[in-house]
Amino acid sequence: MGCNCCNQNTESTCSKSKTDSYKIYLPALVSFTMIIVGMFLKHAGLFENNALALAWYIIAYLPVGLPVLKEAFEGLKQKEFFNEFTLMCIATIGAFCIGEYPEGVAVMLFYTIGELFQDRAVGKAQRNIKALLDIRPESSTVIRNGHPVDVIPSTVGIGEVIEVKAGERVSLDGQMLNEYASFNTAALTGESRPRTIRQGDEVLAGMIATEQTVRIRVNKRYDESALSRILKMVQEASERKAPTELFIRRFARVYTPAVTLLAALVVLLPYIYSVVQPLLLPTAVPFQYDFSDWLYRGLVFLVISCPCALVVSIPLGYFGGIGAASRAGILFKGGNYLDGITKVNTVVFDKTGTLTKGVFEVQQLASAATGKEKELLSYMASAEQKSTHPIARAILQYARQQGVDLLAVEHSEEVSGHGLRSQISGHQVLIGNLRLLDANGIAYPASLSAVVDTIAVCAIDQTYAGYILLADSPKDDARTAITSLQGLNINNIQMLSGDKQAIVSKLAEHLGISKAYGDLMPEDKVEKMEALRKNPTNYIAFVGDGINDAPVLALSNIGIAMGGLGSDAAIETADVVIQTDQPSKIATAIRIGRQTRNIVWQNIVMALGIKLLVLTLGVFGVATLWEAVFADVGVALLAILNAIRIKAPDVE
């Protein structure tokens, strides 16, 4: 039967995929069929000749046994004497030596089936994580010489203009040229609600234009886009092992040779006892040593001892956790951070853009000289035109609305924690907070110090020129974020901000944060973080925008970047990135981390517990190779099924 594909190429691909899948399972199918047929032949009395039975089961063994024998041989060449391949080979060859042919084939068959399921589960987890982000379009429409041309996105240069039709996905990061447009950002943030982006704002690769054709001026190359970097980050996440993973791998390296030695002792010690018993206990009932019986018990011990369930299911648990978090719009840079976030008992927030929307609106423009408002706005907006700060964007947006022209900026520099110093049309322009004017010895009305809301003041040629009053508001889920963290027994919640103490205290009271510090310079935030770190019981998560807060993010145990998709610093510095810009996702991230940790330890306890039980039964001759197969392959499959049930919990 042909596959229901839409074209010949796709049909060929589907057929090839089905053929490859068939080839993978064919050896196991052949061996399984031959075991069943062999049992019927024995029941019919056709295997009275032992040589015929041996030949039949050797043929049945080869399809599933040869690949494992090859792996064991390769391991021996690399001086890896104790691994699951070596154990399986010893166990199955030993079974043949004592005449247990069907069981020898069955052990290798079910081991192979278990490995196939494990590979499939791990591969699916890896593909699911990659599919969450590998959504980059394969072509891009670029405007060249006034005409649209379809090209490969990697060939589009910075500064070129691309066109995205309604329903198409954006291929590269850039600045919006249309006045405004609506985009579906679900692929990046997990949020189904469309987002409106205005002229000059950032548009990211992976977004979908929903209502109209838009044009975007590219500002990053294809492999430098936020989406490309995040995809790389998620792919590399599996390489950053959690402490539990590292422990299990170290444990397996010691555990495997240890149980191999124990299996040998299971065979040898009874023989030694049978030799020395007449000398030590001459009156006791003689111990009858049966080599085949004790070799069988040793082989059972070997099969059970394989650490597959641990080595495979533990990393799969972390894959599941990273995947669940990604589906919720939370990116962990590795299993170690997924593990680390479960220890967090102190959360420190930045304010602007983290707990507040970071979208300022101009409330008032006041000039020191009557009738000079537009001139003042022109200087302030011109100075801010290169800045990405939310206040700068608000001032520029207001200037556009007022129809104010921008002036040429001859020179501009940032004064850390204060504002900007610029040279515009031959005039020195200072714009920032009141500390900037204080530092430059510029007098201003005392009443400005009493203003509670955010204020940006300006001085031209060392003379106070006026101010702009702006307002920001808390994010819709900011209050939920705090109560959710408190519900997780995280009660040490603090806020650090460079904004005025009055504004910070007002927001903290509204959200239920007990400790809030304002008027902080970047170095003051570092000082506060270092003070928290001095208490060894504090395991700190810092939540910021990943740009101005990079030093504090690096100092924290777990650095979390809010809405950092477009921020290089967020991608590089933070350990966790919240794509949805929702602070309530922090509690979700902690829940996913805790759920992952619980499942990982459930797998460890289950695997070791069942193995220990069947090992004991095997030594006393109660367990057979069939039980041994369950204790190895069956437990591995149960652990995998347990691991893949990790899902993102809803925010309470």
Side-chain angles (χ1 to χ4, degrees):
M1 291 179 64
C3 56
N4 298 324
C5 301
C6 54
N7 57 57
Q8 190 174 356
N9 291 336
T10 309
E11 185 173 338
S12 174
T13 302
C14 291
S15 298
K16 186 176 183 298
S17 177
K18 286 187 175 183
T19 302
D20 291 343
S21 179
Y22 177 73
K23 287 180 180 177
I24 290 171
Y25 292 103
L26 181 60
L29 183 62
V30 169
S31 294
F32 177 74
T33 303
M34 291 192 70
I35 286 178
I36 299 300
V37 172
M39 289 179 175
F40 277 110
L41 292 175
K42 182 179 181 180
H43 183 72
L46 299 177
F47 274 171
E48 296 298 332
N49 186 331
N50 193 55
L52 181 62
L54 176 61
W56 179 270
Y57 284 111
I58 285 177
I59 295 172
Y61 178 83
L62 290 178
V64 290
L66 278 178
V68 181
L69 289 167
K70 182 181 177 183
E71 290 287 352
F73 180 69
E74 292 296 327
L76 292 175
K77 287 201 299 184
Q78 299 295 324
K79 297 184 178 180
E80 293 179 8
F81 302 109
F82 299 103
N83 55 44
E84 65 267 29
F85 306 115
T86 308
L87 298 185
M88 285 296 107
C89 292
I90 294 172
T92 54
I93 292 171
F96 270 84
C97 291
I98 59 175
E100 301 289 347
Y101 309 142
E103 291 189 12
V105 178
V107 168
M108 191 64 80
L109 169 64
F110 289 114
Y111 171 76
T112 301
I113 292 173
E115 287 295 295
L116 289 173
F117 278 112
Q118 290 169 17
D119 291 342
R120 188 180 179 93
V122 172
K124 184 179 179 182
Q126 290 174 319
R127 288 193 300 273
N128 284 347
I129 291 172
K130 185 176 178 181
L132 290 166
L133 291 168
D134 199 7
I135 51 177
R136 296 168 295 186
E138 295 179 356
S139 67
S140 183
T141 302
V142 62
I143 307 300
R144 290 176 177 167
N145 299 320
H147 299 288
V149 182
D150 286 338
V151 298
I152 299 171
S154 57
T155 64
V156 179
I158 294 175
E160 289 196 275
V161 175
I162 60 172
E163 186 176 82
V164 183
K165 297 181 178 66
E168 288 184 347
R169 198 181 295 274
V170 178
S171 56
L172 298 124
D173 292 1
Q175 284 187 315
M176 180 78 159
L177 297 181
N178 297 49
E179 186 176 351
Y180 65 89
S182 182
F183 290 85
N184 179 340
T185 65
L188 296 174
T189 66
E191 294 297 303
S192 58
R193 186 172 57 186
R195 175 183 169 190
T196 299
I197 297 178
R198 301 189 180 280
Q199 190 176 45
D201 289 344
E202 187 89 0
V203 182
L204 301 177
M207 293 180 176
I208 300 173
T210 58
E211 296 175 352
Q212 65 190 78
T213 298
V214 297
R215 290 195 174 187
I216 299 163
R217 189 177 302 281
V218 175
N219 59 15
K220 289 178 185 172
R221 295 190 180 279
Y222 181 70
D223 58 353
E224 296 172 348
S225 70
L227 185 59
S228 295
R229 293 196 312 274
I230 292 170
L231 173 58
K232 183 181 178 182
M233 179 187 80
V234 174
Q235 288 175 318
E236 292 175 348
S238 60
E239 298 172 13
R240 297 186 178 94
K241 304 298 182 186
T244 311
E245 289 182 86
L246 296 174
F247 165 75
I248 288 300
R249 292 190 178 276
R250 290 195 300 268
F251 171 77
R253 284 197 288 269
V254 176
Y255 167 84
T256 306
V259 294
T260 304
L261 176 62
L262 288 174
L265 292 176
V266 167
V267 180
L268 293 175
L269 288 179
Y271 170 72
I272 295 171
Y273 179 73
S274 69
V275 172
V276 301
Q277 188 207 28
L279 301 175
L280 299 176
L281 302 168
T283 59
V285 177
F287 176 74
Q288 300 297 322
Y289 177 74
D290 184 339
F291 175 73
S292 294
D293 177 49
W294 286 100
L295 178 61
Y296 185 85
R297 297 186 191 191
L299 295 177
V300 170
F301 199 96
L302 263 188
V303 173
I304 300 167
S305 68
C306 279
C308 307
L310 294 171
V311 174
V312 174
S313 66
I314 304 310
L316 186 61
Y318 286 103
F319 274 134
I322 291 170
S326 297
R327 288 190 292 275
I330 304 163
L331 295 179
F332 282 91
K333 284 190 176 180
N336 51 336
Y337 303 120
L338 194 65
D339 212 55
I341 205 168
T342 64
K343 306 172 189 175
V344 168
N345 57 19
T346 301
V347 178
V348 181
F349 286 95
D350 176 42
K351 183 183 79 71
T352 305
T354 302
L355 289 172
T356 66
K357 294 178 180 178
V359 180
F360 288 85
E361 292 184 357
V362 174
Q363 305 295 310
Q364 182 184 355
L365 170 65
S367 173
T370 306
K372 296 285 187 177
E373 283 79 11
K374 286 207 170 185
E375 182 181 339
L376 172 64
L377 180 58
S378 179
Y379 276 108
M380 295 182 78
S382 299
E384 297 280 19
Q385 61 185 304
K386 297 293 185 181
S387 175
T388 59
H389 194 279
I391 290 178
R393 291 200 296 265
I395 294 172
L396 284 165
Q397 180 69 21
Y398 184 67
R400 282 195 292 266
Q401 292 170 355
Q402 298 299 314
V404 172
D405 294 327
L406 300 183
L407 305 171
V409 179
E410 297 149 17
H411 174 72
S412 184
E413 63 175 309
E414 183 178 349
V415 183
S416 180
H418 291 76
L420 295 171
R421 179 185 288 110
S422 303
Q423 195 72 21
I424 303 174
S425 301
H427 298 282
Q428 186 193 62
V429 178
L430 299 175
I431 176 171
N433 53 36
L434 293 175
R435 291 195 299 266
L436 180 64
L437 300 192
D438 290 333
N440 286 272
I442 299 171
Y444 55 86
S447 59
L448 296 184
S449 300
V451 175
V452 175
D453 291 325
T454 301
I455 188 172
V457 293
C458 179
I460 301 174
D461 295 331
Q462 292 297 105
T463 303
Y464 169 71
Y467 69 85
I468 285 180
L469 201 63
L470 303 103
D472 189 12
S473 57
K475 289 182 179 176
D476 296 337
D477 67 330
R479 176 68 182 168
T480 303
I482 304 304
T483 55
S484 296
L485 288 172
Q486 291 167 343
L488 293 171
N489 295 320
I490 298 173
N491 296 310
N492 189 3
I493 302 172
Q494 302 186 17
M495 181 164 55
L496 307 179
S497 176
D499 217 335
K500 290 188 293 187
Q501 184 64 55
I503 297 174
V504 175
S505 297
K506 182 179 177 181
L507 178 64
E509 184 180 354
H510 171 71
L511 298 180
I513 298 175
S514 57
K515 296 180 181 178
Y517 304 94
D519 295 315
L520 298 178
M521 300 286 286
E523 56 268 28
D524 296 328
K525 292 184 179 181
V526 171
E527 189 178 318
K528 290 286 185 185
M529 183 61 71
E530 287 177 338
L532 281 170
R533 283 170 58 90
K534 286 179 182 177
N535 184 344
T537 63
N538 288 337
Y539 201 91
I540 309 159
F542 180 82
V543 191
D545 61 14
I547 302 171
N548 299 324
D549 298 310
V552 196
L553 279 167
L555 270 177
S556 61
N557 299 103
I558 299 290
I560 303 175
M562 290 295 301
L565 272 173
S567 163
D568 290 335
I571 300 298
E572 298 301 326
T573 310
D575 307 314
V576 184
V577 178
I578 307 292
Q579 294 172 269
T580 61
D581 203 27
Q582 295 173 285
S584 58
K585 292 287 187 180
I586 297 162
T588 304
I590 294 171
R591 288 194 191 97
I592 292 172
R594 291 180 181 181
Q595 186 185 15
T596 302
R597 180 190 60 189
N598 291 341
I599 284 176
V600 164
W601 280 104
Q602 285 169 12
N603 283 347
I604 291 172
V605 172
M606 175 178 67
L608 292 179
I610 293 177
K611 281 180 179 290
L612 183 61
L613 173 64
V614 182
L615 280 172
T616 305
L617 294 175
V619 169
F620 287 102
V622 178
T624 68
L625 279 174
W626 298 101
E627 282 86 357
V629 168
F630 170 75
D632 178 44
V633 178
V635 171
L637 293 177
L638 287 175
I640 288 169
L641 291 173
N642 191 35
I644 62 177
R645 71 185 178 87
I646 298 173
K647 65 182 189 303
D650 295 328
V651 178
E652 292 176 358

Short mmCIF file of all heavy atoms in Angstrom, two decimals, residues 152-186:
data_model
loop_
_atom_site.label_atom_id
_atom_site.label_comp_id
_atom_site.label_asym_id
_atom_site.label_seq_id
_atom_site.Cartn_x
_atom_site.Cartn_y
_atom_site.Cartn_z
N ILE A 152 17.56 32.51 0.02
CA ILE A 152 17.82 31.78 1.26
C ILE A 152 18.10 32.80 2.36
O ILE A 152 18.90 33.72 2.15
CB ILE A 152 19.02 30.83 1.07
CG1 ILE A 152 18.72 29.81 -0.03
CG2 ILE A 152 19.36 30.12 2.38
CD1 ILE A 152 19.93 28.98 -0.44
N PRO A 153 17.46 32.67 3.53
CA PRO A 153 17.63 33.68 4.59
C PRO A 153 19.08 33.97 4.97
O PRO A 153 19.42 35.09 5.30
CB PRO A 153 16.85 33.08 5.77
CG PRO A 153 15.83 32.21 5.14
CD PRO A 153 16.48 31.65 3.92
N SER A 154 19.93 32.96 4.89
CA SER A 154 21.32 33.16 5.29
C SER A 154 22.08 34.11 4.36
O SER A 154 23.16 34.58 4.70
CB SER A 154 22.05 31.81 5.36
OG SER A 154 21.98 31.14 4.12
N THR A 155 21.50 34.39 3.18
CA THR A 155 22.17 35.29 2.23
C THR A 155 21.73 36.74 2.38
O THR A 155 22.25 37.62 1.70
CB THR A 155 21.90 34.84 0.78
OG1 THR A 155 20.48 34.95 0.51
CG2 THR A 155 22.34 33.40 0.55
N VAL A 156 20.77 37.01 3.26
CA VAL A 156 20.27 38.37 3.46
C VAL A 156 21.22 39.12 4.39
O VAL A 156 21.59 38.62 5.44
CB VAL A 156 18.84 38.36 4.05
CG1 VAL A 156 18.35 39.79 4.27
CG2 VAL A 156 17.89 37.61 3.12
N GLY A 157 21.62 40.32 3.98
CA GLY A 157 22.57 41.10 4.76
C GLY A 157 21.88 42.06 5.72
O GLY A 157 20.69 42.38 5.57
N ILE A 158 22.64 42.53 6.69
CA ILE A 158 22.13 43.52 7.65
C ILE A 158 21.84 44.82 6.90
O ILE A 158 22.63 45.27 6.07
CB ILE A 158 23.17 43.76 8.77
CG1 ILE A 158 23.34 42.50 9.61
CG2 ILE A 158 22.76 44.93 9.65
CD1 ILE A 158 24.42 42.58 10.66
N GLY A 159 20.68 45.40 7.20
CA GLY A 159 20.27 46.65 6.53
C GLY A 159 19.33 46.43 5.37
O GLY A 159 18.65 47.38 4.94
N GLU A 160 19.26 45.18 4.84
CA GLU A 160 18.32 44.90 3.76
C GLU A 160 16.90 44.83 4.31
O GLU A 160 16.68 44.58 5.50
CB GLU A 160 18.68 43.60 3.05
CG GLU A 160 19.96 43.71 2.21
CD GLU A 160 20.07 42.56 1.22
OE1 GLU A 160 20.58 41.49 1.62
OE2 GLU A 160 19.67 42.74 0.06
N VAL A 161 15.93 45.02 3.41
CA VAL A 161 14.52 45.01 3.81
C VAL A 161 13.87 43.73 3.31
O VAL A 161 13.99 43.38 2.12
CB VAL A 161 13.78 46.24 3.24
CG1 VAL A 161 12.29 46.15 3.55
CG2 VAL A 161 14.37 47.53 3.81
N ILE A 162 13.21 43.01 4.23
CA ILE A 162 12.48 41.81 3.83
C ILE A 162 10.98 42.08 3.92
O ILE A 162 10.54 42.94 4.69
CB ILE A 162 12.85 40.59 4.70
CG1 ILE A 162 12.52 40.84 6.18
CG2 ILE A 162 14.29 40.21 4.51
CD1 ILE A 162 12.69 39.60 7.06
N GLU A 163 10.23 41.34 3.14
CA GLU A 163 8.76 41.49 3.11
C GLU A 163 8.14 40.19 3.58
O GLU A 163 8.53 39.10 3.14
CB GLU A 163 8.31 41.83 1.68
CG GLU A 163 6.83 42.14 1.56
CD GLU A 163 6.46 42.57 0.15
OE1 GLU A 163 6.26 41.66 -0.70
OE2 GLU A 163 6.39 43.77 -0.11
N VAL A 164 7.19 40.31 4.49
CA VAL A 164 6.51 39.13 5.05
C VAL A 164 5.02 39.29 4.83
O VAL A 164 4.41 40.24 5.32
CB VAL A 164 6.80 38.97 6.55
CG1 VAL A 164 6.14 37.71 7.09
CG2 VAL A 164 8.30 38.93 6.82
N LYS A 165 4.43 38.37 4.06
CA LYS A 165 2.99 38.44 3.78
C LYS A 165 2.19 37.89 4.96
O LYS A 165 2.72 37.17 5.80
CB LYS A 165 2.67 37.66 2.51
CG LYS A 165 3.33 38.21 1.25
CD LYS A 165 2.93 37.38 0.03
CE LYS A 165 3.55 37.95 -1.25
NZ LYS A 165 5.02 37.85 -1.27
N ALA A 166 0.92 38.24 5.00
CA ALA A 166 0.02 37.74 6.05
C ALA A 166 0.02 36.21 6.04
O ALA A 166 -0.15 35.59 4.98
CB ALA A 166 -1.38 38.28 5.84
N GLY A 167 0.23 35.63 7.19
CA GLY A 167 0.26 34.17 7.29
C GLY A 167 1.65 33.58 7.17
O GLY A 167 1.84 32.40 7.46
N GLU A 168 2.64 34.39 6.76
CA GLU A 168 4.01 33.90 6.63
C GLU A 168 4.79 34.12 7.92
O GLU A 168 4.47 34.99 8.73
CB GLU A 168 4.73 34.59 5.48
CG GLU A 168 4.24 34.17 4.11
CD GLU A 168 5.04 34.79 2.99
OE1 GLU A 168 5.82 35.75 3.24
OE2 GLU A 168 4.88 34.34 1.84
N ARG A 169 5.84 33.33 8.06
CA ARG A 169 6.69 33.42 9.25
C ARG A 169 7.89 34.32 8.96
O ARG A 169 8.50 34.25 7.89
CB ARG A 169 7.16 32.03 9.65
CG ARG A 169 7.68 31.93 11.08
CD ARG A 169 8.14 30.52 11.40
NE ARG A 169 7.06 29.55 11.37
CZ ARG A 169 6.27 29.29 12.39
NH1 ARG A 169 6.41 29.96 13.52
NH2 ARG A 169 5.33 28.37 12.30
N VAL A 170 8.24 35.16 9.92
CA VAL A 170 9.39 36.05 9.78
C VAL A 170 10.66 35.21 9.82
O VAL A 170 10.81 34.32 10.66
CB VAL A 170 9.41 37.10 10.92
CG1 VAL A 170 10.64 38.00 10.81
CG2 VAL A 170 8.14 37.93 10.89
N SER A 171 11.60 35.49 8.90
CA SER A 171 12.80 34.66 8.78
C SER A 171 14.01 35.24 9.50
O SER A 171 14.94 34.51 9.83
CB SER A 171 13.13 34.46 7.30
OG SER A 171 13.27 35.72 6.65
N LEU A 172 14.03 36.56 9.72
CA LEU A 172 15.19 37.19 10.35
C LEU A 172 14.75 38.27 11.32
O LEU A 172 13.67 38.84 11.18
CB LEU A 172 16.10 37.83 9.28
CG LEU A 172 16.70 36.86 8.26
CD1 LEU A 172 16.34 37.30 6.86
CD2 LEU A 172 18.22 36.79 8.40
N ASP A 173 15.59 38.55 12.30
CA ASP A 173 15.32 39.65 13.24
C ASP A 173 15.47 40.99 12.54
O ASP A 173 16.33 41.15 11.67
CB ASP A 173 16.29 39.60 14.42
CG ASP A 173 16.08 38.40 15.32
OD1 ASP A 173 15.19 37.59 15.01
OD2 ASP A 173 16.79 38.29 16.33
N GLY A 174 14.67 41.96 12.95
CA GLY A 174 14.80 43.29 12.36
C GLY A 174 13.87 44.30 13.00
O GLY A 174 13.17 44.00 13.97
N GLN A 175 13.89 45.52 12.43
CA GLN A 175 13.04 46.60 12.93
C GLN A 175 11.83 46.78 12.02
O GLN A 175 11.93 46.73 10.80
CB GLN A 175 13.82 47.91 12.99
CG GLN A 175 14.78 47.99 14.18
CD GLN A 175 15.41 49.37 14.29
OE1 GLN A 175 15.84 49.94 13.30
NE2 GLN A 175 15.46 49.90 15.50
N MET A 176 10.68 47.00 12.65
CA MET A 176 9.41 47.18 11.95
C MET A 176 9.43 48.49 11.16
O MET A 176 9.78 49.53 11.69
CB MET A 176 8.29 47.20 12.99
CG MET A 176 6.94 47.38 12.40
SD MET A 176 6.36 45.86 11.69
CE MET A 176 4.62 46.22 11.69
N LEU A 177 9.07 48.42 9.87
CA LEU A 177 8.98 49.62 9.04
C LEU A 177 7.55 50.11 8.89
O LEU A 177 7.32 51.31 8.68
CB LEU A 177 9.59 49.35 7.65
CG LEU A 177 11.10 49.01 7.65
CD1 LEU A 177 11.59 48.79 6.22
CD2 LEU A 177 11.91 50.12 8.32
N ASN A 178 6.56 49.19 8.99
CA ASN A 178 5.16 49.62 8.96
C ASN A 178 4.83 50.43 10.21
O ASN A 178 5.54 50.34 11.22
CB ASN A 178 4.23 48.40 8.89
CG ASN A 178 4.41 47.60 7.63
OD1 ASN A 178 5.53 47.27 7.27
ND2 ASN A 178 3.31 47.26 6.97
N GLU A 179 3.74 51.18 10.15
CA GLU A 179 3.33 51.97 11.32
C GLU A 179 3.02 51.04 12.49
O GLU A 179 3.43 51.29 13.62
CB GLU A 179 2.12 52.84 10.99
CG GLU A 179 1.75 53.79 12.12
CD GLU A 179 0.60 54.72 11.74
OE1 GLU A 179 0.21 54.73 10.55
OE2 GLU A 179 0.10 55.40 12.64
N TYR A 180 2.31 49.96 12.21
CA TYR A 180 2.06 48.93 13.22
C TYR A 180 1.54 47.68 12.51
O TYR A 180 1.06 47.74 11.36
CB TYR A 180 1.05 49.39 14.29
CG TYR A 180 -0.34 49.65 13.77
CD1 TYR A 180 -1.29 48.63 13.72
CD2 TYR A 180 -0.70 50.92 13.30
CE1 TYR A 180 -2.55 48.86 13.23
CE2 TYR A 180 -1.97 51.15 12.82
CZ TYR A 180 -2.90 50.13 12.77
OH TYR A 180 -4.17 50.35 12.28
N ALA A 181 1.64 46.54 13.19
CA ALA A 181 1.12 45.28 12.64
C ALA A 181 0.97 44.28 13.77
O ALA A 181 1.60 44.39 14.82
CB ALA A 181 2.05 44.73 11.56
N SER A 182 0.11 43.30 13.53
CA SER A 182 -0.16 42.27 14.54
C SER A 182 0.60 40.98 14.17
O SER A 182 0.64 40.59 13.00
CB SER A 182 -1.66 42.00 14.61
OG SER A 182 -1.94 41.05 15.60
N PHE A 183 1.18 40.34 15.18
CA PHE A 183 1.96 39.11 14.96
C PHE A 183 1.52 38.02 15.93
O PHE A 183 1.21 38.28 17.09
CB PHE A 183 3.45 39.38 15.18
CG PHE A 183 4.09 40.23 14.11
CD1 PHE A 183 4.03 41.61 14.20
CD2 PHE A 183 4.72 39.66 13.02
CE1 PHE A 183 4.60 42.41 13.23
CE2 PHE A 183 5.30 40.45 12.04
CZ PHE A 183 5.24 41.83 12.15
N ASN A 184 1.52 36.80 15.41
CA ASN A 184 1.32 35.61 16.25
C ASN A 184 2.71 35.20 16.76
O ASN A 184 3.59 34.85 15.97
CB ASN A 184 0.70 34.50 15.41
CG ASN A 184 0.48 33.22 16.21
OD1 ASN A 184 1.10 33.01 17.24
ND2 ASN A 184 -0.39 32.36 15.72
N THR A 185 2.90 35.26 18.08
CA THR A 185 4.20 34.93 18.66
C THR A 185 4.20 33.59 19.39
O THR A 185 5.10 33.29 20.16
CB THR A 185 4.63 36.04 19.66
OG1 THR A 185 3.70 36.05 20.75
CG2 THR A 185 4.65 37.40 18.99
N ALA A 186 3.18 32.76 19.13
CA ALA A 186 3.01 31.51 19.89
C ALA A 186 4.23 30.60 19.78
O ALA A 186 4.60 29.93 20.75
CB ALA A 186 1.76 30.78 19.40
#
